[in-house]
């Protein structure tokens, strides 16, 4: 007798080093230029674009500073490698909020707001990573892996070493107008002016 049928896996392809920082629990907001109604498990795939040493150093320093302000030493959680073109692991997406809603979220600490960098924010928690990342090609936006691969991949997941305890529920919920109600955020202009298009929204480049 065959086991229970699994659902297809929803996947998001991201550039390194952001992809690994997310599945290691250091990054808690994934920014995009488009909203999503997807919640629940989201698998993270790294694109073929190699991260530069400068990008890795800057992003590690950025998240180290944020977590230190919250009283957390992230040294045990920093990835040692940033592999490309692989399925890395997964996170749980609890909501998608506009940057404006995030900025006006009064109970959200300023340290977390520093992670806002795109018009829409995927709020992520419960990161887990594959023991052995799986080599594969990615796709733009959200895409799916067939259900026949779900069981084997889920069984190979593990939590990061010395996981950072984090839950969005402790901050309540913002007064969200709805992802479909907002297509532009003033924050996106600030991000564009500071970092340029390449880092405004890490869209997929296979």
């Amino acid at each position: 007798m065959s086991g229970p049928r699994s659902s297809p896996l929803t996947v998001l392809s991201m550039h390194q080093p952001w992809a690994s920082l997310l599945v290691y629990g250091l990054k808690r907001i994934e920014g995009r230029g488009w909203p999503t109604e997807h919640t629940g498990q989201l698998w993270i795939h790294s694109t073929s674009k190699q991260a530069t040493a400068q990008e890795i150093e800057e992003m590690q320093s950025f998240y180290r500073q944020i977590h230190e302000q919250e009283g957390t030493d992230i040294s045990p959680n920093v990835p040692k490698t940033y592999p490309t073109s692989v399925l890395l692991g997964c996170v749980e997406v609890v909501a998608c909020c506009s940057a404006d809603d995030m900025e006006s979220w009064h109970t959200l600490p300023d340290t977390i707001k520093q992670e806002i960098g795109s018009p829409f924010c995927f709020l992520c928690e419960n990161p887990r990573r594959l023991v052995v990342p799986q080599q594969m090609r990615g796709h733009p936006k959200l895409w799916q892996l067939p259900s026949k691969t779900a069981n084997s991949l889920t069984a190979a997941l593990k939590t990061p070493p010395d996981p950072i305890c984090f839950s969005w529920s402790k901050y309540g919920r913002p007064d969200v107008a709805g992802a479909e109600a907002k297509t532009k955020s003033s924050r996106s202009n600030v991000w564009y002016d500071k970092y340029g298009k390449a880092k405004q929204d890490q869209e997929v480049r296979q």
Side-chain angles (χ1 to χ4, degrees), residues 50-93:
Q50 293 277 356
T52 66
Q54 180 178 353
E55 286 174 332
I56 292 173
E57 182 180 356
E58 287 180 353
M59 289 300 99
Q60 286 184 353
S61 176
F62 174 72
Y63 285 101
R64 193 186 308 276
Q65 182 179 32
I66 285 177
H67 287 279
E68 283 179 353
Q69 292 174 24
E70 297 174 353
T72 302
D73 177 15
I74 66 169
S75 298
N77 305 84
V78 175
K80 293 180 173 58
T81 61
Y82 294 87
T84 57
S85 298
V86 293
L87 193 67
L88 292 165
C90 67
V91 295
E92 297 290 327
V93 177

Side-chain angles (χ1 to χ4, degrees), residues 11-155:
V11 188
L12 177 67
S13 291
M14 298 172 56
H15 292 329
Q16 292 286 29
W18 296 273
S20 287
L21 292 170
L22 186 62
V23 298
Y24 273 70
L26 307 184
K27 177 176 165 66
R28 298 162 292 193
I29 295 175
E30 169 54 16
R32 293 280 140 173
W34 40 269
T36 182
E37 295 183 356
H38 175 81
T39 57
Q41 190 179 71
L42 178 66
W43 285 77
I44 303 302
H45 168 268
S46 62
T47 69
S48 61
K49 182 179 182 294
Q50 293 277 356
T52 66
Q54 180 178 353
E55 286 174 332
I56 292 173
E57 182 180 356
E58 287 180 353
M59 289 300 99
Q60 286 184 353
S61 176
F62 174 72
Y63 285 101
R64 193 186 308 276
Q65 182 179 32
I66 285 177
H67 287 279
E68 283 179 353
Q69 292 174 24
E70 297 174 353
T72 302
D73 177 15
I74 66 169
S75 298
N77 305 84
V78 175
K80 293 180 173 58
T81 61
Y82 294 87
T84 57
S85 298
V86 293
L87 193 67
L88 292 165
C90 67
V91 295
E92 297 290 327
V93 177
V94 300
C96 174
C97 299
S98 73
D100 289 336
D101 286 327
M102 296 292 289
E103 294 283 10
S104 62
W105 191 341
H106 299 302
T107 57
L108 195 65
D110 288 339
T111 51
I112 297 178
K113 290 182 180 181
Q114 291 179 49
E115 295 189 45
I116 302 170
S118 293
F120 296 97
C121 303
F122 296 10
L123 311 189
C124 303
E125 62 184 29
N126 190 28
R128 292 181 292 166
R129 55 193 175 91
L130 290 170
V131 176
V132 179
Q134 300 295 302
Q135 196 82 25
M136 64 180 64
R137 179 180 173 82
H139 301 279
K141 295 199 172 182
L142 298 182
W143 52 281
Q144 291 190 323
L145 283 171
S147 56
K148 63 182 181 181
T149 65
N151 287 336
S152 59
L153 288 173
T154 301

